[in-house]
Amino acid sequence: MNRARPSAAAVAAVAGLALVAACGTNPYATSGAVQPAAQQLSASTVQAAPATGSAQLSTSTVEGLGAVLTDAAGHTLYRYAKDSAKPSRTACVGACEQAWPPVVSDTPVTASGVDVQLIGEVTRPDGRRQVTVAGWPVYTYAKDTGTGVALGQNVSDDWAAITPTGEKVKAAAATTLGTTEIGGLGPVLTDQAGRTLYLFTKDGKGSGQSTCDGSCAKTWPPLLVDGRITVAQDIDTGLVGRITRADGREQVTVGGWPVYTYAKDGAPGEATGHGAGNTWYAMEPNGCKVDPSRRPAAATGGY
C-alpha cells in the first residue's frame, strides 16, 4: 500500500481493529463514511412490502455502487454469472439458493424506475417463477439483513449487484488511508499511493467544508472518495469521514479535517509541504497536525 515505507499494519477493512486516537473526535464520521461491506442508500426509495407471493422492484443509489435494483423491502438484488440470460436459466439451486434466495412472484411484478419491458420470469426446477431483469434471474443475499446493505457484492467473481438495466454493478475503487514514518516528522498519514496527507488550518476542524478550491486545489489536490474508505489498523476508523465539496465531489476527512496531498511532493515519503504558509501541515495518524516546529529530514525548502 505504501511505496515509501509500508506501515507494519496491513490495510484492513473498517470492521478491523483500530487504536483509539488521542486528538478529539470526528463530527463527520457518519455511518456511511467508512463502510467496506454495508453501503447506505442515498435515496428514500424503499416501498411497502407487497402481499405474499408477489414481487416489487425499485431502484436506489447505493454508496460505492451507484444505481442498483432493490426489492420492496430495500434489499439489494444480484445476478449470478453461472445463470443464463439468453435464454433465461437459473443455476442456483439447493444450498446455493439458501445463501442467495431467488426473487419469486406468483403475480405480475410491479416496478419503479425499471423499464417494465426488461422484466420477465423463468421457471425454476421446483416450479416457482423467478423474476428476471434483461433475462437475468435476480436474487437477494441472505446476509444482507437490512436496507442499503450490499454484502453480496463480489462475494465471488460469480456474484454482483444488478443495475436497473440488468448489467453487473462495478463498484467504485476504494480510497485507502495508511501511515508511514518520515524522518524528522514521525508517523504521518498517507494515501493509497504512499503520498503524505495534509490539513489546511483555514478550513477549520469540523467546519464541514473545504476552503481550498481553484488554483489552491491544483497545488493541494483534495483526497477524493467515490466509494469505500479502507484504513490501516493503526488508524482509528471513528476519525474518518467525508464532506461534500462545492463542486459536488466528496472529500475524505480525518479528525474533522479535510485532507489533501501536495503537488510538489515528488515521491512517496516526501513531506515538503509541511509548514507551508504556516497553514499547511502533515497529519498524524490521530488526525492532528504534526508539530509545526518539526521539519522533514529530506525537505528541500522552497515553501
Side-chain angles (χ1 to χ4, degrees):
M1 175 190 66
N2 194 316
R3 300 177 186 171
R5 183 179 174 182
S7 166
V11 172
V14 171
L17 298 176
L19 302 180
V20 176
C23 193
T25 59
N26 180 13
Y28 299 99
T30 62
S31 61
V34 189
Q35 288 194 344
Q39 297 89 359
Q40 298 295 312
L41 293 174
S42 66
S44 178
T45 59
V46 178
Q47 305 179 37
T52 302
S54 61
Q56 185 172 332
L57 304 183
S58 186
T59 62
S60 288
T61 302
V62 175
E63 185 177 309
L65 298 183
V68 302
L69 271 178
T70 60
D71 66 8
H75 297 124
T76 302
L77 300 183
Y78 301 87
R79 54 178 268 185
Y80 186 36
K82 292 183 179 180
D83 285 348
S84 171
K86 295 181 180 180
S88 296
R89 178 181 60 83
T90 176
C92 181
V93 296
C96 175
E97 66 181 288
Q98 298 302 312
W100 302 91
V103 177
V104 296
S105 183
D106 294 329
T107 61
V109 177
T110 59
S112 174
V114 185
D115 184 349
V116 294
Q117 294 186 0
L118 294 177
I119 300 174
E121 65 177 40
V122 62
T123 301
R124 295 182 56 78
D126 60 8
R128 292 180 298 165
R129 294 186 293 178
Q130 183 173 359
V131 177
T132 63
V133 176
W136 288 101
V138 295
Y139 306 80
T140 56
Y141 182 48
K143 293 184 179 180
D144 286 350
T145 56
T147 61
V149 178
L151 298 178
Q153 174 67 15
N154 294 327
V155 162
S156 72
D157 291 339
D158 292 329
W159 289 97
I162 188 169
T163 72
T165 58
E167 300 296 324
K168 292 170 53 177
V169 166
K170 296 181 180 179
T175 298
T176 301
L177 300 179
T179 64
T180 195
E181 187 84 17
I182 294 181
L185 297 185
V188 301
L189 282 173
T190 60
D191 68 1
Q192 54 263 38
R195 295 171 297 190
T196 300
L197 297 177
Y198 300 85
L199 62 81
F200 185 35
T201 57
K202 290 185 178 181
D203 282 345
K205 178 179 178 178
S207 68
Q209 61 183 358
S210 166
T211 60
C212 181
D213 294 305
S215 60
C216 174
K218 292 181 180 180
T219 302
W220 301 92
L223 183 61
L224 302 175
V225 57
D226 189 33
R228 301 179 300 166
I229 303 173
T230 59
V231 303
Q233 288 182 335
D234 48 356
I235 300 172
D236 181 355
T237 58
L239 294 175
V240 182
R242 63 183 80 197
I243 59 170
T244 301
R245 292 177 56 81
D247 59 9
R249 296 180 299 172
E250 290 191 321
Q251 181 175 2
V252 176
T253 65
V254 178
W257 291 100
V259 297
Y260 308 81
T261 56
Y262 183 43
K264 294 183 180 180
D265 281 345
E270 293 188 2
T272 59
H274 181 63
N278 295 321
T279 54
W280 291 93
Y281 299 97
M283 299 186 71
E284 296 178 344
N286 59 11
C288 303
K289 65 183 179 183
V290 173
D291 187 338
S293 66
R294 295 182 181 176
R295 288 292 179 268
T300 57
Y303 298 148

